[in-house]
Amino acid sequence: MSFNDTFIRACLKQEIEHVPVWYMRQAGRYQAEYREIRKKHTLLEICRIPELCAEVTILPVQQLGVDAAILFSDIMVPLGPMGVKYDIIEKRGPILETPFRNADDIASLRNIEPEEDLSYVLETIQILARELKVPLIGFTGAPFTLASYMVEGGPSRNYIRTKQMMYGQPELWNRLMEKLGSMIVTYLKAQISAGAGAVQIFDSWAGALAPEDYKQYVYPTMKRIFQELKEVPVPKIYFGGVSSGELLPLWNDLDADVMGIDWRVSIREGRKRIGNNHAIQGNLDPTMLLAPWSKLESKAKEIIDQGLEAPGFVFNLGHGIFPEVPGDMLKRLTDYVHEYSHSVLNKQ
Ligand code: CP3
């Protein structure tokens, strides 16, 4: 089988024969095989065993026939070598031993040296770059989303402590953003050198911010990150998180190739708000995967039709797959996206 680079071409707004598709959380608890592996290993153990981690990354590519793989890891992984002590608790998420709330806490954070600190990640990427017939997406969390876990000490509904630091100690907040920004650039460059064919920055919870706060407290760091990655030879994707519709106009001049959006804004409206410089990725509501096929099909068709209105579209979900989703629905959806978009593109 030859290498399928459709996903890369779509990210770069080049010609494609079908719309490429991959899913956030395509490796995870909806798979019986993953649940079996998790009986023997914690999530972080899987991340630290390159052969096993590569196997978990490849599995959904084989099962679903998606056009890209995403490295199996977690946004918390590079925070360990920065000095953050954390664990990932099932059904809750990342939990910190001690949250980061004052100047000493932030000062204690050090930058990472990926070749030494995260060699297992780079080794996993090297294995995957050899074995995969589709591009591998490397990733990291974005500064706001990472900071939210660090300052709150765990998942949060209202981000009270995070916003308290942002509004009350803006200098401290900026130092935290700066340190996370540097880590992100270093880490993504190392992933790309090891063989990642694209990178995605997850800002899952940025939608909690009002646009003017995003602009003041988060945008400068995002701007700098994508500027520093401008010359890297792979597509860069910004998943700006759930409920972030009002932030989309602010992403217009970020030097990312692709913008990921959720289902609250249509693909057509998303393009209008972000502008046509960027390719778009999204945006099926993951709960639609539990709907009857006819409903799912007509929604997928609408997303594809709008996606094909301009160059540069990648089919994805608006957020990650839930454990309740039946794997055969995902396979059926993947086949449908490929077949339907192929028929539309052949008629053009
Ligand atoms: O297939 C893939 O998408 C790659 C693997 C991946 C994981 N985490 C593995 C994982 C990726 C890309 C992430 C990113 C991540 N981690 C994000 C950004 C994406 C998003 O979903 O918004 C965030 C916010 C985290 C933090 C985190 N880790 C949360 C909120 C949870 C869920 C807690 C739960 O149990 O529901 C985790 C745990 C986690 N990371 C799982 C997986 C597959 C859950 C399964 C398990 O515990 O084995």
Side-chain angles (χ1 to χ4, degrees):
M1 208 175 85
S2 61
F3 193 83
N4 167 11
D5 69 346
T6 312
F7 166 72
I8 301 291
R9 280 185 277 133
C11 290
L12 300 176
K13 301 199 290 180
Q14 296 169 355
E15 207 167 300
I16 46 164
E17 291 81 44
H18 66 258
V19 165
V21 46
W22 69 278
Y23 303 107
M24 293 192 275
R25 287 280 159 86
Q26 62 191 22
R29 282 170 299 195
Y30 77 94
Q31 297 167 300
E33 295 86 347
Y34 179 82
R35 292 195 300 270
E36 268 314 299
I37 293 170
R38 281 282 278 110
K39 280 184 193 160
K40 291 185 223 108
H41 301 277
T42 66
L43 186 139
L44 292 170
E45 273 168 15
I46 298 173
C47 299
R48 290 184 187 128
I49 308 172
E51 287 293 342
L52 182 62
C53 191
E55 186 188 322
V56 171
T57 305
I58 291 173
L59 197 63
V61 181
Q62 291 170 336
Q63 286 177 337
L64 306 175
V66 285
D67 298 273
I70 180 154
L71 172 71
F72 188 83
S73 186
D74 197 87
I75 57 168
M76 300 304 287
V77 165
L79 296 186
M82 287 185 86
V84 179
K85 293 195 176 63
Y86 70 93
D87 200 0
I88 297 179
I89 310 293
E90 185 145 19
K91 298 201 172 79
R92 277 184 71 196
I95 305 289
L96 269 67
E97 221 167 75
T98 8
F100 284 65
R101 293 190 183 155
N102 63 40
D104 287 344
D105 296 336
I106 308 301
S108 75
L109 290 166
R110 62 174 196 88
N111 202 1
I112 57 166
E113 290 174 34
E115 284 72 19
E116 281 160 39
D117 298 327
L118 297 158
S119 56
Y120 54 91
V121 176
L122 304 183
E123 211 177 299
T124 305
I125 293 175
Q126 284 159 357
I127 296 171
L128 288 163
R130 278 197 303 272
E131 294 194 1
L132 284 166
K133 296 288 184 205
V134 293
L136 172 70
I137 304 168
F139 75 89
T140 169
F144 177 80
T145 293
L146 291 174
S148 79
Y149 288 108
M150 290 170 69
V151 180
E152 301 294 332
S156 177
R157 184 181 291 269
N158 295 314
Y159 307 97
I160 293 172
R161 299 273 192 178
T162 313
K163 291 185 180 184
Q164 206 176 13
M165 184 190 287
M166 217 171 71
Y167 298 131
Q169 297 166 280
E171 274 176 30
L172 193 58
W173 174 259
N174 287 340
R175 242 174 289 150
L176 177 56
M177 291 293 98
E178 215 169 277
K179 287 197 166 194
L180 289 169
S182 300
M183 177 281 282
I184 288 162
V185 171
T186 306
Y187 189 37
L188 290 182
K189 283 186 173 169
Q191 292 187 44
I192 293 161
S193 297
V199 289
Q200 175 156 321
I201 301 182
F202 283 96
D203 212 351
S204 306
W205 316 130
L209 293 170
E212 53 271 29
D213 288 340
Y214 178 91
K215 192 163 184 203
Q216 184 172 349
Y217 299 106
V218 175
Y219 172 85
T221 312
M222 292 318 303
K223 180 78 187 160
R224 177 194 140 209
I225 290 170
F226 284 115
Q227 249 164 8
E228 289 183 18
L229 292 171
K230 205 168 175 179
E231 303 306 325
V232 300
V234 307
K236 287 144 305 229
I237 310 167
Y238 182 42
F239 174 66
V242 291
S243 306
S244 55
E246 302 307 320
L247 303 180
L248 304 192
L250 294 168
W251 301 348
N252 180 266
D253 75 338
L254 294 178
D255 294 311
D257 301 280
V258 187
M259 295 300 182
I261 64 175
D262 88 348
W263 59 93
R264 292 169 181 87
V265 172
S266 70
I267 300 291
R268 189 180 292 150
E269 177 62 22
R271 274 211 181 96
K272 233 188 260 168
R273 293 188 192 183
I274 301 170
N276 265 344
N277 291 336
H278 305 272
I280 300 283
Q281 175 175 278
N283 72 341
L284 183 78
D285 181 344
T287 43
M288 292 276 321
L289 293 163
L290 300 166
W293 170 252
S294 59
K295 276 235 177 350
L296 175 55
E297 180 182 3
S298 65
K299 191 70 205 172
K301 179 178 181 302
E302 184 189 308
I303 291 171
I304 295 163
D305 286 336
Q306 294 191 16
L308 289 173
E309 284 171 357
F313 177 63
V314 175
F315 191 98
N316 204 315
L317 308 173
H319 205 195
I321 298 168
F322 304 122
E324 292 81 359
V325 166
D328 49 359
M329 271 301 228
L330 281 167
K331 170 76 178 125
R332 193 169 176 186
L333 176 62
T334 310
D335 291 343
Y336 175 76
V337 175
H338 285 160
E339 283 157 24
Y340 175 67
S341 63
H342 185 78
S343 75
V344 175
L345 285 161
N346 266 2
K347 268 187 242 139
Q348 283 177 355

Short mmCIF file of all heavy atoms in Angstrom, two decimals, residues 258-289:
data_model
loop_
_atom_site.label_atom_id
_atom_site.label_comp_id
_atom_site.label_asym_id
_atom_site.label_seq_id
_atom_site.Cartn_x
_atom_site.Cartn_y
_atom_site.Cartn_z
N VAL A 258 -4.56 25.05 9.84
CA VAL A 258 -5.90 24.48 9.98
C VAL A 258 -6.50 24.94 11.31
O VAL A 258 -5.80 24.96 12.32
CB VAL A 258 -5.86 22.94 9.98
CG1 VAL A 258 -7.26 22.35 9.96
CG2 VAL A 258 -5.03 22.41 8.81
N MET A 259 -7.79 25.28 11.29
CA MET A 259 -8.49 25.63 12.52
C MET A 259 -9.57 24.59 12.80
O MET A 259 -10.42 24.33 11.93
CB MET A 259 -9.15 27.01 12.36
CG MET A 259 -8.15 28.13 12.18
SD MET A 259 -7.05 28.21 13.62
CE MET A 259 -6.04 29.62 13.18
N GLY A 260 -9.55 24.01 13.98
CA GLY A 260 -10.55 23.02 14.37
C GLY A 260 -11.69 23.70 15.09
O GLY A 260 -11.47 24.50 16.01
N ILE A 261 -12.93 23.40 14.67
CA ILE A 261 -14.09 24.04 15.32
C ILE A 261 -15.09 22.99 15.81
O ILE A 261 -15.10 21.87 15.33
CB ILE A 261 -14.80 25.05 14.37
CG1 ILE A 261 -15.41 24.34 13.15
CG2 ILE A 261 -13.82 26.13 13.91
CD1 ILE A 261 -16.23 25.29 12.26
N ASP A 262 -15.89 23.37 16.77
CA ASP A 262 -16.89 22.43 17.28
C ASP A 262 -18.25 22.65 16.58
O ASP A 262 -18.36 23.46 15.65
CB ASP A 262 -16.96 22.44 18.81
CG ASP A 262 -17.93 23.47 19.38
OD1 ASP A 262 -18.39 24.35 18.62
OD2 ASP A 262 -18.22 23.41 20.58
N TRP A 263 -19.26 21.90 17.01
CA TRP A 263 -20.52 21.82 16.26
C TRP A 263 -21.47 22.99 16.47
O TRP A 263 -22.50 23.07 15.83
CB TRP A 263 -21.23 20.52 16.64
CG TRP A 263 -21.51 20.45 18.13
CD1 TRP A 263 -22.64 20.84 18.77
CD2 TRP A 263 -20.61 19.98 19.15
NE1 TRP A 263 -22.51 20.66 20.12
CE2 TRP A 263 -21.28 20.12 20.39
CE3 TRP A 263 -19.31 19.45 19.15
CZ2 TRP A 263 -20.69 19.76 21.60
CZ3 TRP A 263 -18.74 19.09 20.36
CH2 TRP A 263 -19.42 19.24 21.56
N ARG A 264 -21.08 23.90 17.39
CA ARG A 264 -22.00 25.00 17.68
C ARG A 264 -22.00 26.06 16.58
O ARG A 264 -22.90 26.90 16.53
CB ARG A 264 -21.66 25.61 19.04
CG ARG A 264 -21.96 24.64 20.20
CD ARG A 264 -21.38 25.16 21.50
NE ARG A 264 -21.63 24.24 22.60
CZ ARG A 264 -20.87 23.22 22.92
NH1 ARG A 264 -19.79 22.94 22.18
NH2 ARG A 264 -21.16 22.44 23.93
N VAL A 265 -20.98 26.01 15.73
CA VAL A 265 -20.90 26.90 14.57
C VAL A 265 -20.73 26.00 13.35
O VAL A 265 -19.92 25.08 13.37
CB VAL A 265 -19.68 27.85 14.72
CG1 VAL A 265 -19.46 28.64 13.45
CG2 VAL A 265 -19.87 28.79 15.91
N SER A 266 -21.52 26.26 12.29
CA SER A 266 -21.41 25.41 11.10
C SER A 266 -20.08 25.65 10.39
O SER A 266 -19.42 26.67 10.63
CB SER A 266 -22.56 25.73 10.14
OG SER A 266 -22.36 27.01 9.57
N ILE A 267 -19.71 24.75 9.50
CA ILE A 267 -18.46 24.90 8.75
C ILE A 267 -18.51 26.19 7.93
O ILE A 267 -17.54 26.95 7.88
CB ILE A 267 -18.23 23.68 7.82
CG1 ILE A 267 -18.14 22.38 8.64
CG2 ILE A 267 -16.99 23.88 6.94
CD1 ILE A 267 -16.91 22.24 9.50
N ARG A 268 -19.67 26.43 7.32
CA ARG A 268 -19.82 27.64 6.48
C ARG A 268 -19.63 28.91 7.32
O ARG A 268 -18.88 29.80 6.97
CB ARG A 268 -21.20 27.63 5.82
CG ARG A 268 -21.38 28.72 4.76
CD ARG A 268 -22.76 28.65 4.15
NE ARG A 268 -22.93 27.44 3.36
CZ ARG A 268 -24.10 26.80 3.18
NH1 ARG A 268 -25.21 27.27 3.77
NH2 ARG A 268 -24.17 25.72 2.45
N GLU A 269 -20.31 28.94 8.45
CA GLU A 269 -20.21 30.10 9.35
C GLU A 269 -18.79 30.21 9.94
O GLU A 269 -18.26 31.32 10.08
CB GLU A 269 -21.28 29.98 10.46
CG GLU A 269 -21.28 31.06 11.51
CD GLU A 269 -21.58 32.45 10.97
OE1 GLU A 269 -22.18 32.58 9.88
OE2 GLU A 269 -21.16 33.43 11.64
N GLY A 270 -18.20 29.08 10.24
CA GLY A 270 -16.83 29.07 10.78
C GLY A 270 -15.86 29.72 9.80
O GLY A 270 -15.02 30.54 10.18
N ARG A 271 -16.00 29.35 8.52
CA ARG A 271 -15.12 29.94 7.49
C ARG A 271 -15.34 31.45 7.41
O ARG A 271 -14.41 32.22 7.24
CB ARG A 271 -15.41 29.32 6.13
CG ARG A 271 -14.64 28.04 5.88
CD ARG A 271 -14.34 27.88 4.39
NE ARG A 271 -13.61 26.63 4.16
CZ ARG A 271 -14.19 25.50 3.80
NH1 ARG A 271 -15.49 25.42 3.63
NH2 ARG A 271 -13.45 24.42 3.62
N LYS A 272 -16.62 31.85 7.54
CA LYS A 272 -16.94 33.27 7.46
C LYS A 272 -16.25 34.02 8.61
O LYS A 272 -15.68 35.08 8.43
CB LYS A 272 -18.47 33.45 7.59
CG LYS A 272 -19.06 34.27 6.44
CD LYS A 272 -20.51 34.60 6.69
CE LYS A 272 -21.42 33.65 5.93
NZ LYS A 272 -22.83 33.74 6.37
N ARG A 273 -16.29 33.40 9.80
CA ARG A 273 -15.73 34.10 10.97
C ARG A 273 -14.21 34.09 10.98
O ARG A 273 -13.58 35.07 11.37
CB ARG A 273 -16.24 33.45 12.27
CG ARG A 273 -17.72 33.66 12.46
CD ARG A 273 -18.16 33.18 13.84
NE ARG A 273 -19.61 33.12 13.91
CZ ARG A 273 -20.30 32.79 14.99
NH1 ARG A 273 -19.66 32.48 16.10
NH2 ARG A 273 -21.61 32.75 14.97
N ILE A 274 -13.61 32.97 10.57
CA ILE A 274 -12.14 32.86 10.64
C ILE A 274 -11.50 33.49 9.41
O ILE A 274 -10.40 34.02 9.47
CB ILE A 274 -11.70 31.38 10.76
CG1 ILE A 274 -12.29 30.73 12.01
CG2 ILE A 274 -10.18 31.26 10.79
CD1 ILE A 274 -12.12 29.24 12.09
N GLY A 275 -12.19 33.42 8.29
CA GLY A 275 -11.60 33.91 7.04
C GLY A 275 -11.05 32.73 6.26
O GLY A 275 -10.80 31.67 6.82
N ASN A 276 -10.82 32.95 4.98
CA ASN A 276 -10.48 31.82 4.12
C ASN A 276 -8.99 31.49 4.02
O ASN A 276 -8.58 30.68 3.20
CB ASN A 276 -11.06 32.04 2.71
CG ASN A 276 -12.42 31.34 2.59
OD1 ASN A 276 -12.75 30.49 3.41
ND2 ASN A 276 -13.19 31.71 1.58
N ASN A 277 -8.17 32.10 4.89
CA ASN A 277 -6.74 31.78 4.86
C ASN A 277 -6.46 30.36 5.35
O ASN A 277 -5.45 29.78 5.02
CB ASN A 277 -5.95 32.72 5.79
CG ASN A 277 -5.94 34.12 5.25
OD1 ASN A 277 -6.09 34.31 4.04
ND2 ASN A 277 -5.77 35.10 6.12
N HIS A 278 -7.35 29.88 6.19
CA HIS A 278 -7.09 28.63 6.88
C HIS A 278 -7.97 27.50 6.36
O HIS A 278 -9.11 27.75 5.96
CB HIS A 278 -7.36 28.79 8.38
CG HIS A 278 -6.61 29.91 9.01
ND1 HIS A 278 -5.35 29.77 9.52
CD2 HIS A 278 -6.93 31.21 9.18
CE1 HIS A 278 -4.93 30.92 9.98
NE2 HIS A 278 -5.86 31.82 9.79
N ALA A 279 -7.44 26.28 6.40
CA ALA A 279 -8.28 25.12 6.21
C ALA A 279 -9.10 24.93 7.49
O ALA A 279 -8.73 25.44 8.55
CB ALA A 279 -7.43 23.89 5.93
N ILE A 280 -10.23 24.22 7.37
CA ILE A 280 -11.10 24.01 8.53
C ILE A 280 -11.18 22.52 8.85
O ILE A 280 -11.22 21.68 7.93
CB ILE A 280 -12.53 24.53 8.24
CG1 ILE A 280 -12.51 26.03 7.93
CG2 ILE A 280 -13.47 24.23 9.41
CD1 ILE A 280 -12.37 26.94 9.12
N GLN A 281 -11.21 22.20 10.14
CA GLN A 281 -11.35 20.82 10.58
C GLN A 281 -12.53 20.73 11.54
O GLN A 281 -12.65 21.53 12.46
CB GLN A 281 -10.07 20.38 11.27
CG GLN A 281 -10.12 19.00 11.89
CD GLN A 281 -8.77 18.57 12.45
OE1 GLN A 281 -7.92 18.11 11.71
NE2 GLN A 281 -8.58 18.73 13.74
N GLY A 282 -13.40 19.74 11.30
CA GLY A 282 -14.50 19.56 12.25
C GLY A 282 -15.66 18.85 11.59
O GLY A 282 -15.49 18.27 10.52
N ASN A 283 -16.76 18.97 12.15
CA ASN A 283 -17.17 19.52 13.41
C ASN A 283 -18.39 18.77 13.94
O ASN A 283 -19.24 19.35 14.59
CB ASN A 283 -17.45 21.03 13.29
CG ASN A 283 -18.74 21.32 12.51
OD1 ASN A 283 -19.25 20.48 11.77
ND2 ASN A 283 -19.30 22.50 12.73
N LEU A 284 -18.46 17.46 13.61
CA LEU A 284 -19.63 16.67 14.02
C LEU A 284 -19.73 16.60 15.55
O LEU A 284 -18.74 16.32 16.23
CB LEU A 284 -19.52 15.25 13.44
CG LEU A 284 -20.71 14.33 13.72
CD1 LEU A 284 -21.87 14.66 12.79
CD2 LEU A 284 -20.31 12.87 13.58
N ASP A 285 -20.91 16.85 16.07
CA ASP A 285 -21.17 16.65 17.50
C ASP A 285 -20.96 15.16 17.81
O ASP A 285 -21.64 14.31 17.24
CB ASP A 285 -22.63 17.05 17.78
CG ASP A 285 -23.01 16.90 19.25
OD1 ASP A 285 -22.30 16.21 20.00
OD2 ASP A 285 -24.06 17.46 19.62
N PRO A 286 -20.01 14.82 18.71
CA PRO A 286 -19.73 13.40 18.95
C PRO A 286 -20.94 12.61 19.44
O PRO A 286 -21.01 11.40 19.22
CB PRO A 286 -18.61 13.40 19.98
CG PRO A 286 -18.46 14.80 20.44
CD PRO A 286 -19.10 15.70 19.45
N THR A 287 -21.93 13.28 20.05
CA THR A 287 -23.11 12.53 20.48
C THR A 287 -23.95 12.06 19.28
O THR A 287 -24.74 11.13 19.41
CB THR A 287 -24.02 13.35 21.43
OG1 THR A 287 -24.13 14.68 20.93
CG2 THR A 287 -23.50 13.37 22.83
N MET A 288 -23.75 12.69 18.11
CA MET A 288 -24.45 12.21 16.90
C MET A 288 -24.05 10.78 16.55
O MET A 288 -24.76 10.10 15.82
CB MET A 288 -24.14 13.12 15.69
CG MET A 288 -24.70 14.51 15.75
SD MET A 288 -26.40 14.78 15.21
CE MET A 288 -26.68 13.80 13.84
N LEU A 289 -22.91 10.33 17.07
CA LEU A 289 -22.47 8.96 16.81
C LEU A 289 -23.38 7.95 17.52
O LEU A 289 -23.29 6.75 17.28
CB LEU A 289 -21.02 8.76 17.26
CG LEU A 289 -19.99 9.56 16.44
CD1 LEU A 289 -18.66 9.66 17.17
CD2 LEU A 289 -19.80 8.92 15.06
#
